[in-house]
Amino acid sequence: MRTPRISGSRCRVLLAAFALAAALDLASLAVGFHGGHVIAKPLLMPLLAAWAAAWGAPRLLVAALLCGWGGDVLLLSDADPAFLAGMTCFAAGHVCYLALFTRDGTPRARTALLAPGYLVALVTTVALLWPDLPAGLRVPVAGYSTLLVAMACAAAVRLGPVAGLGGALFLLSDTLIATGVADWPQPPRPDLWIMLTYLAAQFLLATGTLRALEARPGPMATYGEVRSTTP
């Protein structure tokens, strides 16, 4: 990956802090320790965003991660208004990702074949969930799902397999949330699987974006994001 804008040791500290917060969050969910989840979850995306920024990430990537932070905090509440506000934050993050992928990504002919599959997945999932969703959430969930699938597809088609896997895992994570809202049968500890796939998704999207931009011809200074490597 590219040279960090600050010292490599500081980047490693930020990444280690993110990994530690993620481990605490997932362990808390695994054992049912709600307090640990409340403490760790709000730390996750700011730490990942700080790590990405330290590597000179485009501002849109940092903004997408921070939108995820807003959604994470809001979804700590079970209230319906908080759920809708959290969904709005994540939707804003997907818009940032889409803008970034469209601006800086490069279309890949082979992966373009994935687009019809994502379209079928969107239509099928929304059609199946629709009757079981609360009436007030049907249209918001359908609209959000459209943005999410567009982001996941764009990640694969324009940035390659690492970001593409991140987009697919984000889709899986949010589908688990939606099936829970629709009161479908859930796996044991569903919150654990939701957070595991979500954290992997955001990390892979960030890493895949940085790698894809690094692989482009010419220095990333073209994007106005590279900084001095002086600590």
Side-chain angles (χ1 to χ4, degrees), residues 37-123:
H37 177 58
V38 171
I39 292 171
K41 189 178 183 184
L43 300 175
L44 294 165
M45 289 305 107
L47 287 170
L48 186 59
W51 171 78
W55 279 98
R59 292 182 181 89
L60 283 170
L61 174 57
V62 176
L65 295 171
L66 292 179
C67 285
W69 169 72
D72 289 345
V73 172
L74 286 164
L75 291 187
L76 286 171
S77 170
D78 293 329
D80 286 346
F83 180 82
L84 286 171
M87 188 189 304
T88 300
C89 285
F90 283 118
H94 297 325
V95 171
C96 291
Y97 276 131
L98 277 169
L100 174 62
F101 300 160
T102 300
R103 185 191 71 183
D104 294 341
T106 302
R108 291 162 167 80
R110 292 181 180 178
T111 53
L113 299 174
L114 295 171
Y118 274 107
L119 179 60
V120 170
L122 170 65
V123 173

